[in-house]
Structure formats: C-alpha cells, structure tokens
Amino acid sequence: MAILESNANAEEAVRMEAYMKNRFSYYGIKAPIRKTLFKDVVREYIPGLSHDHVITIANTLYKKPKRELHYCAMELVDQFLKKKYNIADIDFIEQLITTNSWWDSVDFIAKHILGKYLLQFPDQIPLVIEKFSNSDKMWLNRSAILFQLGYKDKTDYQLLCKLCEQHKSSNEFFIKKAIGWALREYSKVNPEAVVTFITNTKLKPLSEREGLKRIRS
C-alpha cells in the first residue's frame, strides 16, 4: 500500500524487526499511526466492501511481506465481518492462523476473529475446537486455548479446563503461556474456580504462575 510505504521509518523498522526476532519485514510504522492511515484508506472503499471483497483483500494483504499489511488484513476482517461471518469462513480463519504465524497475529485472530466467529456459530465450537486442539500445528492449539479470551461470564469453563488438561504437559512456551493467560483471564470472573483447578492440576510452573498472577497480585 502506497500510503504505508510513504510513511515508512527505517530506524523504527529495525527495532520492530528485532523485537519480532527478525521473522518479518516492517515498514516501521507504529500501531496508532498505521491504524489512522489504514482507516483513511478504508473510508474511501467502504461502499464496496462486501463479505467476499473483505476476504479477497485480506488474503492479498496476507501474501505481502510487510508485517503491517498482515495487521491491516486482520483488523479489516474484524471490523467488517464481525457478526457477519459465513459458516464456511472457518477455513479462511484457519488459513489466517497458520500463515505468517507468530504470537502477535495468532493472538489477535484467536480472540477477535476465531472467538467472534464462534460466538456467532456456537454450535461449531465442539467441531472446530476439537480439530484445532488436536492438530499437530501448535498455533492452532494455542488458538483453541485462547479463543474464549473476552468471553467473560460466557466462558465455557469446563471446555477451558479440558483444553488446559489436554495440553498441560506441553513443553512449548507458547502453549504453557496460553494456558496461564486463559486461566488468568477467567480468574476475573471466577477466581475461586481457577484456584481450585490449578490446585488440583499439575500444570507447568509457567502456566501456574501466569494463571495465578491476577489473584496473587
């Protein structure tokens, strides 16, 4: 996108790339500026942004090398498809999770895209989450654990416990962290339940620390 290219900051790009362990190339545009620039572009095209157009644009942006374009793609989907997903969009969502995967993209997609899709189609939760949780792709596992972030009292706590139990022995940092994060978020709703679960479950130390962080603070 020309507007992002024209606002590139080489020094900031170096810092961003280093923070992301040089996995991606950046324009070097900080989030507040990027969102403002992208908002201005989107405003011009809102009348033509149908469901299919949004997916086409997101797929196109996701094939570009610059990480800021991936962020724009995810935010476009969240803004324009929220509560307007088609049931078949789960294939597109899975593709987003497993393409250009790192914690920054996966966490946004898990909460804001997968999570909202499953709020719209709750009958799909058993099928989708079982598939993702049993996948050999770690980022799908993480997404399954995190998709209820923000659900608050709508959280299926039994499902959350089941997912934590399933992955509690994992030595993968991002899985251990996800378990703790999901439990910590639910502790805002029911801290007693989280304490009980952690007390009765042999979690990895990182998961336990993260899960209890809010309660012990």
Side-chain angles (χ1 to χ4, degrees):
M1 287 173 56
I3 193 168
L4 295 187
E5 291 178 8
S6 64
N7 284 271
N9 182 322
E11 290 185 10
E12 191 63 35
V14 170
R15 287 192 286 270
M16 289 180 168
E17 289 165 6
Y19 180 68
M20 287 297 170
K21 301 185 183 298
N22 295 304
R23 290 177 174 270
F24 307 101
S25 173
Y26 279 80
Y27 287 121
I29 304 173
K30 293 184 177 181
I33 299 173
R34 169 180 56 77
K35 290 180 179 181
T36 298
L37 294 172
F38 190 58
K39 183 178 179 181
D40 291 341
V41 172
V42 169
R43 189 182 294 116
E44 297 180 29
Y45 296 97
I46 283 178
L49 285 177
S50 67
H51 173 278
D52 290 348
H53 281 135
V54 170
I55 289 184
T56 297
I57 294 168
N59 280 328
T60 299
L61 292 174
Y62 233 67
K63 292 176 182 176
K64 303 294 184 180
K66 296 296 185 183
R67 192 57 163 170
E68 288 95 339
L69 296 178
H70 306 162
Y71 299 151
C72 289
M74 295 183 292
E75 291 163 4
L76 185 73
V77 171
D78 181 41
Q79 181 178 350
F80 288 98
L81 296 190
K82 179 171 54 181
K83 298 182 180 180
K84 298 178 182 178
Y85 289 107
N86 294 334
I87 197 165
D89 288 339
I90 189 60
D91 294 332
F92 164 69
I93 294 170
E94 181 175 349
Q95 179 182 323
L96 283 182
I97 293 170
T98 56
T99 305
N100 300 317
S101 307
W102 197 234
W103 62 264
D104 56 334
S105 60
V106 171
D107 292 358
F108 183 94
I109 297 165
K111 177 178 180 179
H112 297 285
I113 299 178
L114 177 63
K116 291 174 184 176
Y117 168 89
L118 291 172
L119 279 176
Q120 185 178 338
F121 300 110
D123 59 317
Q124 293 297 301
I125 291 176
L127 178 66
V128 171
I129 296 307
E130 180 177 3
K131 177 185 177 183
F132 284 15
S133 187
N134 290 322
S135 173
D136 60 0
K137 297 179 179 179
M138 183 272 292
W139 294 114
L140 290 178
N141 301 160
R142 181 172 169 97
S143 297
I145 296 168
L146 296 179
F147 85 95
Q148 296 188 94
L149 291 177
Y151 276 29
K152 299 180 181 179
D153 58 357
K154 294 181 180 179
T155 301
D156 183 338
Y157 180 59
Q158 296 306 313
L159 176 59
L160 174 59
C161 291
K162 178 182 177 182
L163 294 167
C164 292
E165 284 275 5
Q166 180 179 354
H167 295 283
K168 67 182 182 182
S169 298
S170 174
N171 288 316
E172 169 58 58
F173 171 82
F174 289 109
I175 296 300
K176 292 185 287 186
K177 192 82 169 180
I179 290 172
W181 184 11
L183 290 171
R184 184 173 73 249
E185 280 297 298
Y186 188 66
S187 75
K188 297 176 183 178
V189 177
N190 192 338
E192 295 81 6
V194 171
V195 169
T196 298
F197 176 76
I198 292 177
T199 300
N200 296 328
T201 308
K202 189 172 177 58
L203 297 176
K204 295 289 184 176
L206 175 58
S207 299
E208 181 175 330
R209 286 197 306 273
E210 289 293 321
L212 294 173
K213 186 177 290 185
R214 180 179 177 83
I215 296 169
R216 289 177 172 173
S217 62

